[in-house]
Amino acid sequence: MNFYLNTLGELPISLEEPFTVNWTAPSNIALVKYWGKHGKQLPCNPSLSFSLRESTTTTRISFSPNKSLKVALNFQGQENEKFRERLERFFAGLGEVTHFFRHMEIDIESTNTFPHSAGVASSASSLASIALCVSSLIYHATEKEMDDGFYRLASYFARLGSGSASRSVYGRYSIWGHTSILSSNDEYAMEFKDYDPLFAELSDAILIVSDREKRISSTVGHSVMNVNPYADTRYLNAQKNVLKIIDAMKKGDLLRFFAIVEQEALEVHAMMMVANPPHLLFEPNTIEIINRIKEFKERTALPVGYTIDTGPNVHLLYFDRDKEKVMPFIEELRQFCQGGKIIFDGLGVGPVRNRIE
Ligand code: DP6
């Protein structure tokens, strides 16, 4: 029996009256990356991420009893048929587990604070905000009091929509996937709290090398790992890197922390380069920025580092307390960004339930 059924038990839940709920959830950026999945959205390795402060999605959902499942979507003030179909599949998937979702009209209004092509994963914050609404619905329908299980349930639902979204139902740092030392597991993420206070703040300057849609789709990216000859080595390294980064964060070892983060970013890109067919997602300016960060670190010995998702844009990570010293360097990097575009973000406190007006 899976986690979802365990949680809901055999509760005879039904929706008699319409229920409206509104959540804001953050996007997140992985420091140790999830890349490769199996079964029903289960990760091939554990990952660790932090939630962003500024890049969020706010979603308001009205659930009403209906003869069948019907999903309507207004995304960024417009209809979006592709995303609506994806969400309909998501809710139909929930309906396979419990009849509850088979008889519902679901009216979704969702907006992001960041542009689609900003190099920030919008599916993570979107699906997390939707999953939090679903979790609220379940708690409402079963008259359950708020508890920690609420976020685990939301993370579980979010994962079914998009793996990385499972980590976006929490603030600060999250771990998703089984590791040998924590009680983490593959079905839902949990918050990681056991770090040195040095990590209580972290800034992220997102250097937009290109705002063209050049991310490899997750569907393609994860599936090429299934036939990648280096996949098993990668999964093993990621296992080790999660344990190493936890250790570095516990000890407040900033240099080791950034060494792991950078190695992770490049290893995932290496996996894409050795895929068949290969994918090279770096632009010349991505490499220029990476090299300049390396020089800057050697010159200043400041604890900074970078991570890169499945595209050309670079997340320059640093601590607020070094802001004055790092800002002139960030300005120097602006020339390598498309239209000089940089998004300033950082570690966020997590999702918020909004009042219904
Ligand atoms: C490179 O979560 O977008 O950002 O589960 O298919 O929706 P799906 O994939 P997705 O993959 C994210 C991959 C990544 C690394 C990470 O966030 O861990």
Side-chain angles (χ1 to χ4, degrees), residues 35-287:
W35 201 236
K37 62 179 174 181
H38 64 97
K40 210 166 187 188
Q41 291 276 101
L42 295 167
C44 292
N45 64 261
S47 54
L48 187 145
S49 64
F50 72 91
S51 289
L52 293 168
R53 188 178 54 227
E54 308 293 340
S55 304
T56 62
T57 301
T58 295
T59 299
R60 175 193 162 103
I61 307 189
S62 295
F63 300 92
S64 322
N66 200 38
K67 278 204 202 83
S68 57
L69 172 67
K70 191 173 163 227
V71 177
L73 171 70
N74 182 310
F75 182 63
Q76 305 281 56
Q78 290 176 356
E79 286 182 5
N80 181 328
E81 187 50 21
K82 215 169 136 201
F83 194 28
R84 194 201 66 79
E85 282 172 8
R86 180 173 170 188
L87 295 179
E88 195 161 68
R89 283 197 299 277
F90 168 73
F91 281 105
L94 300 188
E96 281 171 23
V97 190
T98 166
H99 284 246
F100 189 45
F101 289 100
R102 293 190 195 171
H103 307 285
M104 213 179 274
E105 186 169 337
I106 301 173
D107 203 347
I108 307 170
E109 252 175 61
S110 197
T111 43
N112 292 345
T113 55
F114 53 95
H116 187 57
S117 49
V120 174
S122 67
S123 63
S125 50
S126 288
L127 267 303
S129 60
I130 290 167
L132 286 156
C133 291
V134 171
S135 212
S136 287
L137 170 71
I138 301 276
Y139 268 53
H140 165 79
T142 56
E143 294 176 6
K144 210 165 150 25
E145 291 289 318
M146 190 68 168
D147 59 4
D148 284 354
F150 174 86
Y151 290 97
R152 286 199 291 275
L153 188 61
S155 176
Y156 175 90
F157 289 132
R159 184 201 103 224
L160 295 176
S162 174
S164 55
S166 67
R167 300 181 310 238
S168 269
V169 304
Y170 303 105
R172 302 177 188 89
Y173 302 93
S174 305
I175 290 184
W176 170 42
H178 172 75
T179 67
S180 56
I181 61 160
L182 293 164
S183 56
S184 58
N185 72 88
D186 289 352
E187 297 214 45
Y188 55 88
M190 55 181 233
E191 197 174 344
F192 171 62
K193 297 179 179 164
D194 189 14
Y195 49 82
D196 185 280
L198 283 171
F199 288 97
E201 49 94 3
L202 184 64
S203 294
D204 180 0
I206 310 169
L207 306 161
I208 308 298
V209 168
S210 168
D211 63 9
R212 264 181 304 143
E213 186 79 32
K214 212 196 160 189
R215 285 168 62 91
I216 181 174
S217 86
S218 296
T219 316
V220 173
H222 290 290
S223 68
V224 295
M225 282 304 279
N226 296 336
V227 290
N228 190 316
Y230 303 97
D232 287 341
T233 310
R234 159 65 197 153
Y235 299 146
L236 204 65
N237 282 348
Q239 276 278 353
K240 289 184 191 158
N241 281 343
V242 165
L243 301 184
K244 283 187 198 165
I245 207 166
I246 288 171
D247 188 58
M249 290 178 78
K250 277 184 181 170
K251 292 182 178 149
D253 188 340
L254 304 182
L255 297 182
R256 196 150 151 261
F257 170 80
F258 283 122
I260 299 161
V261 170
E262 292 180 357
Q263 196 233 323
E264 267 292 313
L266 295 186
E267 191 167 289
V268 169
H269 277 266
M271 287 302 106
M272 290 185 255
M273 288 182 213
V274 295
N276 185 11
H279 300 277
L280 178 57
L281 303 178
F282 288 169
E283 297 278 348
N285 281 347
T286 312
I287 298 172

Side-chain angles (χ1 to χ4, degrees), residues 299-356:
R299 192 159 26 94
T300 62
L302 282 172
V304 302
Y306 60 84
T307 186
I308 308 173
D309 258 356
T310 46
N313 302 328
V314 182
H315 292 245
L316 174 63
L317 307 177
Y318 59 99
F319 293 96
D320 285 354
R321 56 185 166 274
D322 298 321
K323 195 172 171 184
E324 263 179 42
K325 291 180 197 143
V326 180
M327 278 316 267
F329 174 58
I330 295 176
E331 283 310 318
E332 181 191 317
L333 297 177
R334 202 181 274 282
Q335 59 182 308
F336 305 113
C337 300
Q338 185 166 28
K341 186 132 204 252
I342 300 174
I343 296 174
F344 289 94
D345 212 319
L347 190 72
V349 293
V352 177
R353 184 171 175 170
N354 304 304
R355 285 189 27 200
I356 301 294

